[in-house]
Amino acid sequence: KAQLESCPELVQAAFAGDEAKVQELLKGGADPNTIWLREERLKGSDGCCQCAISWEEYTAPIAACMELKTEICELLLLHDQTDMNVVCCGLHEFGPYKHFTVLDMAKQVQSPLMEKLLARGAKPAAKCPTPPWPREPRGADDSDDALLAAAALPARPSANGAGPYAELLDAMQQNRCKSLEL
């Protein structure tokens, strides 16, 4: 298999529905299994001025499926190195609170691609190994570049607890916003 490059921009293009950009990035060697961490804000009730902040991990197939970008999802399904069973997490200050795959997302949004996903071997997160927490970035070597690289699967927790997720948890616990691309 060819060496692919981590590419959070691919996930962002899938969310945006930019099929031309997705094709360009895939042709350029972008890894369709890149995990991107995105901040999610949920506003409280109308009488409440607070909002809940959590983070969600996404791959390009999950993003395309979530946004019902069927053409982009099918394009990603055709890529021979797309892993249908990458397990992403929903995170809050205490760590992961949910796990999901592209199949889980397809079911949630009632995607017309359920049959195609199942034919490619997609499984729900409950039938896949739970990813380690915290994830280690791909090629972790204590450099800043490595700390901002995409998460590789499978990964091992850091022995000293340092890394982007430790920074993220610290930021969450201090009620600061921090966006990291993993």
Side-chain angles (χ1 to χ4, degrees):
K1 290 185 177 182
Q3 180 67 26
L4 300 174
E5 293 291 322
S6 171
C7 188
E9 189 179 3
L10 178 64
V11 184
Q12 295 162 357
F15 266 119
D18 189 343
E19 188 174 353
K21 186 69 171 177
V22 169
Q23 284 181 333
E24 173 191 329
L25 292 168
L26 288 173
K27 285 180 184 173
D31 185 350
N33 305 309
T34 298
I35 295 173
W36 179 56
L37 189 64
R38 182 171 97 165
E39 180 180 305
E40 304 286 340
R41 291 177 176 255
L42 301 172
K43 187 178 180 314
S45 66
D46 290 336
C48 177
C49 63
Q50 294 186 353
C51 69
I53 300 172
S54 67
W55 282 260
E56 304 282 327
E57 295 178 326
Y58 296 102
T59 62
I62 290 173
C65 188
M66 179 177 162
E67 296 297 323
L68 296 172
K69 307 296 184 192
T70 306
E71 298 81 19
I72 293 175
C73 201
E74 287 179 333
L75 176 67
L76 291 159
L77 285 171
L78 293 173
H79 195 282
D80 65 338
Q81 292 194 25
T82 299
D83 182 352
M84 294 292 105
N85 297 310
V86 174
V87 178
C88 289
C89 303
L91 309 162
H92 55 51
E93 65 268 20
F94 303 111
Y97 65 90
K98 69 178 179 179
H99 296 90
F100 55 97
T101 65
V102 68
L103 186 65
D104 295 313
M105 187 60 68
K107 184 176 180 182
Q108 183 176 346
V109 300
Q110 299 176 352
S111 171
L113 297 175
M114 289 289 292
E115 301 268 336
K116 288 184 181 183
L117 290 168
L118 290 167
R120 278 283 316 269
K123 299 178 202 169
K127 297 204 177 198
C128 296
T130 301
W133 179 254
R135 292 188 197 258
E136 275 295 316
R138 177 181 302 158
D141 62 3
D142 297 328
S143 74
D144 289 340
D145 291 340
L147 291 176
L148 295 177
L153 295 176
R156 292 180 287 123
S158 171
N160 63 7
Y165 281 97
E167 293 174 24
L168 174 64
L169 289 175
D170 181 54
M172 292 167 78
Q173 289 166 343
Q174 295 178 28
N175 293 325
R176 290 184 286 128
C177 298
K178 182 146 180 155
S179 177
L180 294 174
E181 294 175 354
L182 299 172

PDB file of all heavy atoms in Angstrom, residues 126-162:
ATOM      1  N   ALA A 126     -19.906  -0.672  18.239  1.00  0.00           N
ATOM      2  CA  ALA A 126     -20.061  -1.696  19.280  1.00  0.00           C
ATOM      3  C   ALA A 126     -19.419  -3.026  18.891  1.00  0.00           C
ATOM      4  O   ALA A 126     -19.090  -3.832  19.756  1.00  0.00           O
ATOM      5  CB  ALA A 126     -21.544  -1.907  19.592  1.00  0.00           C
ATOM      6  N   LYS A 127     -19.203  -3.249  17.595  1.00  0.00           N
ATOM      7  CA  LYS A 127     -18.597  -4.501  17.128  1.00  0.00           C
ATOM      8  C   LYS A 127     -17.136  -4.313  16.704  1.00  0.00           C
ATOM      9  O   LYS A 127     -16.544  -5.206  16.119  1.00  0.00           O
ATOM     10  CB  LYS A 127     -19.410  -5.080  15.982  1.00  0.00           C
ATOM     11  CG  LYS A 127     -20.803  -5.442  16.427  1.00  0.00           C
ATOM     12  CD  LYS A 127     -21.411  -6.475  15.562  1.00  0.00           C
ATOM     13  CE  LYS A 127     -22.760  -6.798  16.169  1.00  0.00           C
ATOM     14  NZ  LYS A 127     -23.319  -7.989  15.742  1.00  0.00           N
ATOM     15  N   CYS A 128     -16.574  -3.146  16.984  1.00  0.00           N
ATOM     16  CA  CYS A 128     -15.175  -2.850  16.650  1.00  0.00           C
ATOM     17  C   CYS A 128     -14.388  -2.653  17.942  1.00  0.00           C
ATOM     18  O   CYS A 128     -14.967  -2.324  18.976  1.00  0.00           O
ATOM     19  CB  CYS A 128     -15.085  -1.562  15.822  1.00  0.00           C
ATOM     20  SG  CYS A 128     -15.895  -1.654  14.220  1.00  0.00           S
ATOM     21  N   PRO A 129     -13.063  -2.833  17.879  1.00  0.00           N
ATOM     22  CA  PRO A 129     -12.264  -2.559  19.080  1.00  0.00           C
ATOM     23  C   PRO A 129     -12.384  -1.087  19.497  1.00  0.00           C
ATOM     24  O   PRO A 129     -12.390  -0.196  18.648  1.00  0.00           O
ATOM     25  CB  PRO A 129     -10.829  -2.873  18.646  1.00  0.00           C
ATOM     26  CG  PRO A 129     -10.957  -3.709  17.417  1.00  0.00           C
ATOM     27  CD  PRO A 129     -12.258  -3.323  16.771  1.00  0.00           C
ATOM     28  N   THR A 130     -12.499  -0.863  20.786  1.00  0.00           N
ATOM     29  CA  THR A 130     -12.559   0.499  21.307  1.00  0.00           C
ATOM     30  C   THR A 130     -11.180   1.131  21.166  1.00  0.00           C
ATOM     31  O   THR A 130     -10.177   0.525  21.559  1.00  0.00           O
ATOM     32  CB  THR A 130     -12.972   0.497  22.791  1.00  0.00           C
ATOM     33  OG1 THR A 130     -14.247  -0.139  22.890  1.00  0.00           O
ATOM     34  CG2 THR A 130     -13.046   1.900  23.356  1.00  0.00           C
ATOM     35  N   PRO A 131     -11.110   2.335  20.584  1.00  0.00           N
ATOM     36  CA  PRO A 131      -9.791   2.959  20.432  1.00  0.00           C
ATOM     37  C   PRO A 131      -9.203   3.314  21.801  1.00  0.00           C
ATOM     38  O   PRO A 131      -9.946   3.611  22.731  1.00  0.00           O
ATOM     39  CB  PRO A 131     -10.073   4.223  19.613  1.00  0.00           C
ATOM     40  CG  PRO A 131     -11.526   4.478  19.747  1.00  0.00           C
ATOM     41  CD  PRO A 131     -12.182   3.169  20.050  1.00  0.00           C
ATOM     42  N   PRO A 132      -7.887   3.271  21.917  1.00  0.00           N
ATOM     43  CA  PRO A 132      -7.261   3.616  23.195  1.00  0.00           C
ATOM     44  C   PRO A 132      -7.469   5.096  23.504  1.00  0.00           C
ATOM     45  O   PRO A 132      -7.637   5.918  22.607  1.00  0.00           O
ATOM     46  CB  PRO A 132      -5.779   3.305  22.970  1.00  0.00           C
ATOM     47  CG  PRO A 132      -5.607   3.365  21.495  1.00  0.00           C
ATOM     48  CD  PRO A 132      -6.912   2.961  20.889  1.00  0.00           C
ATOM     49  N   TRP A 133      -7.457   5.411  24.782  1.00  0.00           N
ATOM     50  CA  TRP A 133      -7.597   6.800  25.194  1.00  0.00           C
ATOM     51  C   TRP A 133      -6.511   7.129  26.196  1.00  0.00           C
ATOM     52  O   TRP A 133      -6.307   6.366  27.125  1.00  0.00           O
ATOM     53  CB  TRP A 133      -8.974   7.045  25.816  1.00  0.00           C
ATOM     54  CG  TRP A 133      -9.097   8.449  26.253  1.00  0.00           C
ATOM     55  CD1 TRP A 133      -9.057   8.914  27.538  1.00  0.00           C
ATOM     56  CD2 TRP A 133      -9.225   9.591  25.423  1.00  0.00           C
ATOM     57  NE1 TRP A 133      -9.155  10.261  27.542  1.00  0.00           N
ATOM     58  CE2 TRP A 133      -9.257  10.707  26.260  1.00  0.00           C
ATOM     59  CE3 TRP A 133      -9.287   9.778  24.040  1.00  0.00           C
ATOM     60  CZ2 TRP A 133      -9.369  11.992  25.769  1.00  0.00           C
ATOM     61  CZ3 TRP A 133      -9.398  11.061  23.563  1.00  0.00           C
ATOM     62  CH2 TRP A 133      -9.447  12.147  24.425  1.00  0.00           C
ATOM     63  N   PRO A 134      -5.787   8.205  26.063  1.00  0.00           N
ATOM     64  CA  PRO A 134      -5.854   9.110  24.915  1.00  0.00           C
ATOM     65  C   PRO A 134      -5.146   8.520  23.707  1.00  0.00           C
ATOM     66  O   PRO A 134      -4.284   7.662  23.839  1.00  0.00           O
ATOM     67  CB  PRO A 134      -5.139  10.360  25.402  1.00  0.00           C
ATOM     68  CG  PRO A 134      -4.180   9.869  26.428  1.00  0.00           C
ATOM     69  CD  PRO A 134      -4.833   8.675  27.067  1.00  0.00           C
ATOM     70  N   ARG A 135      -5.512   8.998  22.521  1.00  0.00           N
ATOM     71  CA  ARG A 135      -4.853   8.553  21.295  1.00  0.00           C
ATOM     72  C   ARG A 135      -3.482   9.191  21.220  1.00  0.00           C
ATOM     73  O   ARG A 135      -3.271  10.287  21.698  1.00  0.00           O
ATOM     74  CB  ARG A 135      -5.636   8.992  20.062  1.00  0.00           C
ATOM     75  CG  ARG A 135      -6.976   8.329  19.891  1.00  0.00           C
ATOM     76  CD  ARG A 135      -7.523   8.726  18.538  1.00  0.00           C
ATOM     77  NE  ARG A 135      -8.922   8.478  18.418  1.00  0.00           N
ATOM     78  CZ  ARG A 135      -9.445   7.454  17.772  1.00  0.00           C
ATOM     79  NH1 ARG A 135      -8.671   6.576  17.197  1.00  0.00           N
ATOM     80  NH2 ARG A 135     -10.747   7.302  17.697  1.00  0.00           N
ATOM     81  N   GLU A 136      -2.596   8.491  20.571  1.00  0.00           N
ATOM     82  CA  GLU A 136      -1.279   9.062  20.268  1.00  0.00           C
ATOM     83  C   GLU A 136      -1.300   9.547  18.832  1.00  0.00           C
ATOM     84  O   GLU A 136      -1.853   8.862  17.962  1.00  0.00           O
ATOM     85  CB  GLU A 136      -0.177   8.007  20.413  1.00  0.00           C
ATOM     86  CG  GLU A 136       0.325   7.841  21.815  1.00  0.00           C
ATOM     87  CD  GLU A 136       1.015   9.064  22.355  1.00  0.00           C
ATOM     88  OE1 GLU A 136       1.826   9.690  21.637  1.00  0.00           O
ATOM     89  OE2 GLU A 136       0.747   9.409  23.509  1.00  0.00           O
ATOM     90  N   PRO A 137      -0.724  10.697  18.551  1.00  0.00           N
ATOM     91  CA  PRO A 137      -0.641  11.127  17.156  1.00  0.00           C
ATOM     92  C   PRO A 137       0.282  10.210  16.363  1.00  0.00           C
ATOM     93  O   PRO A 137       1.171   9.580  16.930  1.00  0.00           O
ATOM     94  CB  PRO A 137      -0.064  12.530  17.220  1.00  0.00           C
ATOM     95  CG  PRO A 137       0.343  12.755  18.615  1.00  0.00           C
ATOM     96  CD  PRO A 137      -0.146  11.639  19.472  1.00  0.00           C
ATOM     97  N   ARG A 138       0.037  10.135  15.068  1.00  0.00           N
ATOM     98  CA  ARG A 138       0.892   9.339  14.191  1.00  0.00           C
ATOM     99  C   ARG A 138       2.308   9.892  14.257  1.00  0.00           C
ATOM    100  O   ARG A 138       2.517  11.091  14.209  1.00  0.00           O
ATOM    101  CB  ARG A 138       0.379   9.411  12.756  1.00  0.00           C
ATOM    102  CG  ARG A 138       1.265   8.654  11.795  1.00  0.00           C
ATOM    103  CD  ARG A 138       0.765   8.747  10.396  1.00  0.00           C
ATOM    104  NE  ARG A 138      -0.600   8.228  10.363  1.00  0.00           N
ATOM    105  CZ  ARG A 138      -1.459   8.523   9.430  1.00  0.00           C
ATOM    106  NH1 ARG A 138      -1.135   9.320   8.462  1.00  0.00           N
ATOM    107  NH2 ARG A 138      -2.666   8.023   9.458  1.00  0.00           N
ATOM    108  N   GLY A 139       3.281   9.032  14.369  1.00  0.00           N
ATOM    109  CA  GLY A 139       4.686   9.433  14.349  1.00  0.00           C
ATOM    110  C   GLY A 139       5.080  10.275  15.541  1.00  0.00           C
ATOM    111  O   GLY A 139       5.895  11.168  15.421  1.00  0.00           O
ATOM    112  N   ALA A 140       4.488  10.005  16.686  1.00  0.00           N
ATOM    113  CA  ALA A 140       4.792  10.819  17.861  1.00  0.00           C
ATOM    114  C   ALA A 140       6.272  10.743  18.186  1.00  0.00           C
ATOM    115  O   ALA A 140       6.819   9.686  18.386  1.00  0.00           O
ATOM    116  CB  ALA A 140       3.968  10.340  19.051  1.00  0.00           C
ATOM    117  N   ASP A 141       6.905  11.902  18.187  1.00  0.00           N
ATOM    118  CA  ASP A 141       8.331  11.945  18.503  1.00  0.00           C
ATOM    119  C   ASP A 141       8.647  13.175  19.341  1.00  0.00           C
ATOM    120  O   ASP A 141       9.749  13.689  19.316  1.00  0.00           O
ATOM    121  CB  ASP A 141       9.172  11.930  17.223  1.00  0.00           C
ATOM    122  CG  ASP A 141       8.918  13.145  16.329  1.00  0.00           C
ATOM    123  OD1 ASP A 141       8.126  14.028  16.733  1.00  0.00           O
ATOM    124  OD2 ASP A 141       9.521  13.212  15.252  1.00  0.00           O
ATOM    125  N   ASP A 142       7.645  13.654  20.076  1.00  0.00           N
ATOM    126  CA  ASP A 142       7.762  14.814  20.951  1.00  0.00           C
ATOM    127  C   ASP A 142       7.943  16.133  20.215  1.00  0.00           C
ATOM    128  O   ASP A 142       8.168  17.158  20.838  1.00  0.00           O
ATOM    129  CB  ASP A 142       8.898  14.642  21.975  1.00  0.00           C
ATOM    130  CG  ASP A 142       8.626  13.477  22.892  1.00  0.00           C
ATOM    131  OD1 ASP A 142       7.440  13.202  23.190  1.00  0.00           O
ATOM    132  OD2 ASP A 142       9.594  12.831  23.298  1.00  0.00           O
ATOM    133  N   SER A 143       7.849  16.143  18.877  1.00  0.00           N
ATOM    134  CA  SER A 143       7.951  17.409  18.163  1.00  0.00           C
ATOM    135  C   SER A 143       6.567  18.022  18.042  1.00  0.00           C
ATOM    136  O   SER A 143       5.558  17.332  18.096  1.00  0.00           O
ATOM    137  CB  SER A 143       8.551  17.201  16.768  1.00  0.00           C
ATOM    138  OG  SER A 143       7.593  16.594  15.928  1.00  0.00           O
ATOM    139  N   ASP A 144       6.510  19.350  17.892  1.00  0.00           N
ATOM    140  CA  ASP A 144       5.227  20.021  17.728  1.00  0.00           C
ATOM    141  C   ASP A 144       4.497  19.505  16.501  1.00  0.00           C
ATOM    142  O   ASP A 144       3.287  19.336  16.521  1.00  0.00           O
ATOM    143  CB  ASP A 144       5.422  21.539  17.612  1.00  0.00           C
ATOM    144  CG  ASP A 144       5.840  22.157  18.938  1.00  0.00           C
ATOM    145  OD1 ASP A 144       5.612  21.527  19.987  1.00  0.00           O
ATOM    146  OD2 ASP A 144       6.392  23.268  18.909  1.00  0.00           O
ATOM    147  N   ASP A 145       5.231  19.275  15.406  1.00  0.00           N
ATOM    148  CA  ASP A 145       4.591  18.775  14.195  1.00  0.00           C
ATOM    149  C   ASP A 145       3.937  17.422  14.448  1.00  0.00           C
ATOM    150  O   ASP A 145       2.830  17.162  13.994  1.00  0.00           O
ATOM    151  CB  ASP A 145       5.597  18.640  13.049  1.00  0.00           C
ATOM    152  CG  ASP A 145       6.074  19.995  12.555  1.00  0.00           C
ATOM    153  OD1 ASP A 145       5.373  20.999  12.804  1.00  0.00           O
ATOM    154  OD2 ASP A 145       7.142  20.045  11.929  1.00  0.00           O
ATOM    155  N   ALA A 146       4.609  16.556  15.181  1.00  0.00           N
ATOM    156  CA  ALA A 146       4.054  15.234  15.455  1.00  0.00           C
ATOM    157  C   ALA A 146       2.830  15.343  16.356  1.00  0.00           C
ATOM    158  O   ALA A 146       1.879  14.588  16.210  1.00  0.00           O
ATOM    159  CB  ALA A 146       5.104  14.332  16.104  1.00  0.00           C
ATOM    160  N   LEU A 147       2.827  16.307  17.279  1.00  0.00           N
ATOM    161  CA  LEU A 147       1.688  16.459  18.169  1.00  0.00           C
ATOM    162  C   LEU A 147       0.455  16.944  17.432  1.00  0.00           C
ATOM    163  O   LEU A 147      -0.658  16.744  17.884  1.00  0.00           O
ATOM    164  CB  LEU A 147       2.020  17.421  19.313  1.00  0.00           C
ATOM    165  CG  LEU A 147       3.037  16.892  20.317  1.00  0.00           C
ATOM    166  CD1 LEU A 147       3.353  17.960  21.351  1.00  0.00           C
ATOM    167  CD2 LEU A 147       2.519  15.638  20.998  1.00  0.00           C
ATOM    168  N   LEU A 148       0.634  17.578  16.291  1.00  0.00           N
ATOM    169  CA  LEU A 148      -0.505  18.050  15.525  1.00  0.00           C
ATOM    170  C   LEU A 148      -0.834  17.143  14.352  1.00  0.00           C
ATOM    171  O   LEU A 148      -1.702  17.442  13.556  1.00  0.00           O
ATOM    172  CB  LEU A 148      -0.240  19.482  15.022  1.00  0.00           C
ATOM    173  CG  LEU A 148      -0.132  20.517  16.133  1.00  0.00           C
ATOM    174  CD1 LEU A 148       0.210  21.875  15.547  1.00  0.00           C
ATOM    175  CD2 LEU A 148      -1.412  20.598  16.938  1.00  0.00           C
ATOM    176  N   ALA A 149      -0.156  16.018  14.252  1.00  0.00           N
ATOM    177  CA  ALA A 149      -0.425  15.060  13.168  1.00  0.00           C
ATOM    178  C   ALA A 149      -1.738  14.340  13.429  1.00  0.00           C
ATOM    179  O   ALA A 149      -2.274  14.372  14.527  1.00  0.00           O
ATOM    180  CB  ALA A 149       0.720  14.047  13.088  1.00  0.00           C
ATOM    181  N   ALA A 150      -2.241  13.663  12.428  1.00  0.00           N
ATOM    182  CA  ALA A 150      -3.497  12.913  12.589  1.00  0.00           C
ATOM    183  C   ALA A 150      -3.271  11.702  13.479  1.00  0.00           C
ATOM    184  O   ALA A 150      -2.191  11.129  13.508  1.00  0.00           O
ATOM    185  CB  ALA A 150      -4.004  12.463  11.231  1.00  0.00           C
ATOM    186  N   ALA A 151      -4.326  11.298  14.195  1.00  0.00           N
ATOM    187  CA  ALA A 151      -4.240  10.127  15.063  1.00  0.00           C
ATOM    188  C   ALA A 151      -4.152   8.886  14.190  1.00  0.00           C
ATOM    189  O   ALA A 151      -4.845   8.765  13.203  1.00  0.00           O
ATOM    190  CB  ALA A 151      -5.472  10.056  15.953  1.00  0.00           C
ATOM    191  N   ALA A 152      -3.287   7.983  14.564  1.00  0.00           N
ATOM    192  CA  ALA A 152      -3.154   6.721  13.833  1.00  0.00           C
ATOM    193  C   ALA A 152      -3.907   5.643  14.595  1.00  0.00           C
ATOM    194  O   ALA A 152      -3.993   5.673  15.805  1.00  0.00           O
ATOM    195  CB  ALA A 152      -1.686   6.346  13.707  1.00  0.00           C
ATOM    196  N   LEU A 153      -4.460   4.705  13.897  1.00  0.00           N
ATOM    197  CA  LEU A 153      -5.159   3.605  14.540  1.00  0.00           C
ATOM    198  C   LEU A 153      -4.445   2.315  14.190  1.00  0.00           C
ATOM    199  O   LEU A 153      -4.121   2.103  13.042  1.00  0.00           O
ATOM    200  CB  LEU A 153      -6.599   3.535  14.035  1.00  0.00           C
ATOM    201  CG  LEU A 153      -7.468   4.723  14.390  1.00  0.00           C
ATOM    202  CD1 LEU A 153      -8.832   4.562  13.737  1.00  0.00           C
ATOM    203  CD2 LEU A 153      -7.616   4.873  15.873  1.00  0.00           C
ATOM    204  N   PRO A 154      -4.219   1.420  15.096  1.00  0.00           N
ATOM    205  CA  PRO A 154      -4.413   1.620  16.513  1.00  0.00           C
ATOM    206  C   PRO A 154      -3.264   2.410  17.117  1.00  0.00           C
ATOM    207  O   PRO A 154      -2.205   2.492  16.529  1.00  0.00           O
ATOM    208  CB  PRO A 154      -4.428   0.189  17.059  1.00  0.00           C
ATOM    209  CG  PRO A 154      -3.548  -0.566  16.119  1.00  0.00           C
ATOM    210  CD  PRO A 154      -3.735   0.080  14.756  1.00  0.00           C
ATOM    211  N   ALA A 155      -3.476   2.957  18.266  1.00  0.00           N
ATOM    212  CA  ALA A 155      -2.458   3.759  18.934  1.00  0.00           C
ATOM    213  C   ALA A 155      -2.356   3.306  20.377  1.00  0.00           C
ATOM    214  O   ALA A 155      -3.227   2.634  20.887  1.00  0.00           O
ATOM    215  CB  ALA A 155      -2.829   5.236  18.871  1.00  0.00           C
ATOM    216  N   ARG A 156      -1.272   3.714  21.025  1.00  0.00           N
ATOM    217  CA  ARG A 156      -1.072   3.369  22.425  1.00  0.00           C
ATOM    218  C   ARG A 156      -1.109   4.637  23.257  1.00  0.00           C
ATOM    219  O   ARG A 156      -0.622   5.671  22.829  1.00  0.00           O
ATOM    220  CB  ARG A 156       0.281   2.688  22.626  1.00  0.00           C
ATOM    221  CG  ARG A 156       0.346   1.319  21.988  1.00  0.00           C
ATOM    222  CD  ARG A 156       1.693   0.673  22.197  1.00  0.00           C
ATOM    223  NE  ARG A 156       2.678   1.349  21.345  1.00  0.00           N
ATOM    224  CZ  ARG A 156       3.784   1.919  21.803  1.00  0.00           C
ATOM    225  NH1 ARG A 156       4.064   1.922  23.062  1.00  0.00           N
ATOM    226  NH2 ARG A 156       4.615   2.499  20.969  1.00  0.00           N
ATOM    227  N   PRO A 157      -1.670   4.601  24.454  1.00  0.00           N
ATOM    228  CA  PRO A 157      -1.644   5.781  25.310  1.00  0.00           C
ATOM    229  C   PRO A 157      -0.212   6.169  25.638  1.00  0.00           C
ATOM    230  O   PRO A 157       0.668   5.325  25.725  1.00  0.00           O
ATOM    231  CB  PRO A 157      -2.380   5.331  26.576  1.00  0.00           C
ATOM    232  CG  PRO A 157      -3.142   4.111  26.182  1.00  0.00           C
ATOM    233  CD  PRO A 157      -2.377   3.484  25.050  1.00  0.00           C
ATOM    234  N   SER A 158       0.007   7.441  25.822  1.00  0.00           N
ATOM    235  CA  SER A 158       1.321   7.952  26.176  1.00  0.00           C
ATOM    236  C   SER A 158       1.675   7.532  27.595  1.00  0.00           C
ATOM    237  O   SER A 158       0.826   7.556  28.487  1.00  0.00           O
ATOM    238  CB  SER A 158       1.313   9.481  26.076  1.00  0.00           C
ATOM    239  OG  SER A 158       2.479  10.016  26.592  1.00  0.00           O
ATOM    240  N   ALA A 159       2.904   7.156  27.805  1.00  0.00           N
ATOM    241  CA  ALA A 159       3.351   6.742  29.127  1.00  0.00           C
ATOM    242  C   ALA A 159       3.302   7.897  30.117  1.00  0.00           C
ATOM    243  O   ALA A 159       3.006   7.713  31.291  1.00  0.00           O
ATOM    244  CB  ALA A 159       4.773   6.181  29.045  1.00  0.00           C
ATOM    245  N   ASN A 160       3.578   9.121  29.642  1.00  0.00           N
ATOM    246  CA  ASN A 160       3.609  10.256  30.558  1.00  0.00           C
ATOM    247  C   ASN A 160       2.348  11.104  30.511  1.00  0.00           C
ATOM    248  O   ASN A 160       2.247  12.113  31.195  1.00  0.00           O
ATOM    249  CB  ASN A 160       4.840  11.137  30.272  1.00  0.00           C
ATOM    250  CG  ASN A 160       4.800  11.750  28.881  1.00  0.00           C
ATOM    251  OD1 ASN A 160       3.799  11.637  28.168  1.00  0.00           O
ATOM    252  ND2 ASN A 160       5.877  12.395  28.501  1.00  0.00           N
ATOM    253  N   GLY A 161       1.343  10.716  29.684  1.00  0.00           N
ATOM    254  CA  GLY A 161       0.086  11.446  29.610  1.00  0.00           C
ATOM    255  C   GLY A 161       0.167  12.734  28.823  1.00  0.00           C
ATOM    256  O   GLY A 161      -0.806  13.455  28.721  1.00  0.00           O
ATOM    257  N   ALA A 162       1.329  13.067  28.259  1.00  0.00           N
ATOM    258  CA  ALA A 162       1.469  14.294  27.488  1.00  0.00           C
ATOM    259  C   ALA A 162       0.938  14.086  26.087  1.00  0.00           C
ATOM    260  O   ALA A 162       0.742  12.974  25.645  1.00  0.00           O
ATOM    261  CB  ALA A 162       2.937  14.720  27.442  1.00  0.00           C
TER     262      ALA A 162
END
